[in-house]
Amino acid sequence: MDFEQKVTHFREEMEYLGICQYAAAPLLYRVLWFLGIAEPPPFFASRWRSLSIHATCYSLLLAFILLTLHIFVALNLSTSVNLFVIVLMFSLVYSFYMASNYQYQSRMLELPSWELYLSEKHKINSANIS
């Protein structure tokens, strides 16, 4: 089973369990998948890996937005830098919250690692639960 099929099955399984499709596969991860980056859904990532992905992507997005504001609104450099530092700190806190939330939900759903997801071992354990 290839990566895209596993992701599709995971999204269908989460929808069946009542978890919103945008929580199971956030827009950030959908963009990564569209770009060809085979990053497992956030439910399968460690807290630090998820934190680093969220923080990096949000920081790049915010840097782009602030650079655009700096150019078109003519903010002075010190205001732009101060605003970037404040927004970056907020981004890190939000990223830590999201990473912790995904790790908590993963434990509550008793999900295996991404490598074992939909493998024979996972199917056997799922059959024993049912």
Side-chain angles (χ1 to χ4, degrees):
M1 179 173 279
D2 70 346
F3 180 79
E4 291 178 14
Q5 290 172 330
K6 280 176 81 169
V7 169
T8 302
H9 186 274
F10 172 73
R11 289 173 58 189
E12 290 170 355
E13 182 179 357
M14 292 299 107
E15 186 176 340
Y16 176 76
L17 293 174
I19 295 176
C20 176
Q21 65 174 338
Y22 296 107
L27 181 61
L28 171 62
Y29 283 80
R30 291 176 192 216
V31 169
L32 291 175
W33 298 332
F34 178 76
L35 294 174
I37 300 171
E39 180 63 33
F43 283 90
F44 297 97
S46 68
R47 176 181 292 155
W48 299 112
R49 182 177 181 133
S50 184
L51 172 71
S52 64
I53 290 170
H54 280 91
T56 301
C57 291
Y58 291 144
S59 298
L60 290 173
L61 176 67
L62 293 172
F64 175 75
I65 291 170
L66 290 175
L67 180 64
T68 304
L69 284 174
H70 178 72
I71 292 171
F72 292 110
V73 180
L75 294 175
N76 62 12
L77 185 59
S78 64
T79 303
S80 296
V81 170
N82 290 339
L83 189 58
F84 179 72
V85 169
I86 290 169
V87 171
L88 181 65
M89 291 173 57
F90 173 77
S91 174
L92 287 172
V93 170
Y94 178 72
S95 298
F96 184 78
Y97 166 75
M98 291 301 294
S100 298
N101 187 33
Y102 279 119
Q103 189 177 37
Y104 172 76
Q105 288 181 351
S106 177
R107 273 189 267 133
M108 296 304 292
L109 294 170
E110 298 176 356
L111 293 172
S113 67
W114 182 248
E115 292 77 24
L116 293 178
Y117 185 70
L118 297 179
S119 67
E120 291 302 318
K121 185 175 183 180
H122 178 245
K123 291 177 186 175
I124 291 171
N125 291 338
S126 298
N128 290 338
I129 294 172
S130 299

